Amino acid sequence: MKSQILDYASKRGGQEALLEAMNTKYYYYTRTKGLFRICFPKERPPTVETYLSPVETHCMNIEYYLPDVDNLTRGFSEDAMTRLHMGRSAIALFILAFLTIFIAFWTGIFGCWRRSPGNITATAILMLLACLLSAGAMGLWHGVEYYEKERVVGEEFYQQWNNVLRSETVTTHDWSYVLAWASVACSFVSSIFFMISACCVKSENQETPNMHYVLPVYPQKQQYAYPPPGYPPQAYPPGPPYYHGSQYGPYNY
């Protein structure tokens, strides 16, 4: 992007203000933007204080003015404050979604361990709630993106750029954006599967309500019949006498 702007300035002439802004303003540099920071994978602006991220890129934090002790937002326009509140709310909803998934993790484990349809149903509801919270956070993030491009919310955003910067800027959504929406979809699918599992476990428990209390009966090798008290023992027909051991004594070889 900077090379195209330099070509434009060299052809037109008298673009000292543009060249100065290009060397001092961070939005003239290639960057990636997330929820919490802006990173510069190539060149970094010399006038902006950055730090080295865990993935070895130079980044700076996005300011949400929390807490705004010095009342730095008092000069913001209404659109700028709306954008700021939507950004804060998106982060808050993501935190609530992560907390909900953490609780659903434990209710799901206990539900599967105990085969409890109540716990599994609670897990399905929690996963659906996490899906809605995440989708709401993504919606607010899109609202922030809309305000940054279509409303006047600051000089570092689209509406207050000069024409050459607007024409030479290309904005794309990277892998983290796709992964975020895929996570929302997976949360919804998980809630459906948990609800189906709860119905299946409940139907199994209704079909066999007392199976947990039935003791197994194993067949025995021999069955002995004993007469009830007061009755004489059963008479057997006469036959040859029975001897313990051999009738002929021990064998010696």
Side-chain angles (χ1 to χ4, degrees):
M1 181 179 68
K2 291 186 65 177
S3 60
Q4 288 86 347
I5 296 177
L6 286 173
D7 293 340
Y8 172 85
S10 61
K11 291 178 181 178
R12 293 297 181 92
Q15 301 293 327
E16 290 79 9
L18 176 61
L19 294 175
E20 182 181 359
M22 188 177 61
N23 293 323
T24 56
K25 304 296 184 180
Y26 77 89
Y27 44 86
Y28 282 86
Y29 291 77
T30 301
R31 60 197 179 277
T32 59
K33 183 179 180 181
L35 284 176
F36 300 102
R37 60 190 180 188
I38 298 173
C39 296
F40 303 93
K42 297 180 180 179
E43 299 179 76
R44 54 174 172 165
T47 58
V48 176
E49 184 178 356
T50 60
Y51 60 91
L52 198 62
S53 70
V55 292
E56 302 295 327
T57 55
H58 292 276
C59 303
M60 69 177 189
N61 292 328
I62 297 176
E63 184 60 67
Y64 287 101
Y65 303 97
L66 286 174
D68 189 10
V69 179
D70 298 327
N71 198 18
L72 299 176
T73 60
R74 62 181 179 273
F76 283 14
S77 64
E78 183 179 353
D79 288 338
M81 288 302 299
T82 302
R83 169 196 164 273
L84 181 62
H85 288 314
M86 285 194 297
R88 293 171 176 175
S89 301
I91 294 175
L93 288 182
F94 273 125
I95 293 174
L96 290 176
F98 292 149
L99 180 61
T100 305
I101 291 176
F102 178 77
I103 298 173
F105 172 77
W106 292 108
T107 57
I109 287 180
F110 285 120
C112 294
W113 181 266
R114 300 171 56 188
R115 295 183 61 83
S116 170
N119 286 352
I120 298 176
T121 303
T123 305
I125 295 173
L126 288 172
M127 290 304 298
L128 181 60
L129 179 60
C131 171
L132 296 176
L133 290 172
S134 302
M138 290 299 295
L140 288 172
W141 185 86
H142 278 288
V144 172
E145 186 182 37
Y146 171 81
Y147 266 72
E148 289 178 351
K149 188 173 183 180
E150 302 297 335
R151 302 294 181 89
V152 179
V153 291
E155 66 171 0
E156 66 269 28
F157 300 112
Y158 185 82
Q159 288 297 323
Q160 292 184 251
W161 290 351
N162 55 52
N163 293 330
V164 62
L165 181 58
R166 289 186 186 183
S167 61
E168 298 297 336
T169 299
V170 177
T171 304
T172 58
H173 294 111
D174 211 343
W175 60 269
S176 58
Y177 171 81
V178 178
L179 185 62
W181 275 117
S183 301
V184 174
C186 288
S187 300
F188 180 71
V189 173
S190 298
S191 67
I192 294 177
F193 284 163
F194 273 114
M195 190 63 69
I196 295 173
S197 301
C199 294
C200 293
V201 172
K202 185 176 181 180
S203 63
E204 289 179 1
N205 292 344
Q206 289 176 350
E207 291 175 0
T208 56
N210 298 320
M211 285 299 293
H212 298 289
Y213 306 101
V214 176
L215 296 177
V217 178
Y218 301 101
Q220 299 181 1
K221 294 182 179 180
Q222 295 180 350
Q223 298 290 337
Y224 298 96
Y226 298 96
Y231 287 85
Q234 183 178 359
Y236 295 95
Y242 177 77
Y243 299 96
H244 291 281
S246 174
Q247 302 180 39
Y248 304 100
Y251 292 96
N252 295 321
Y253 296 97

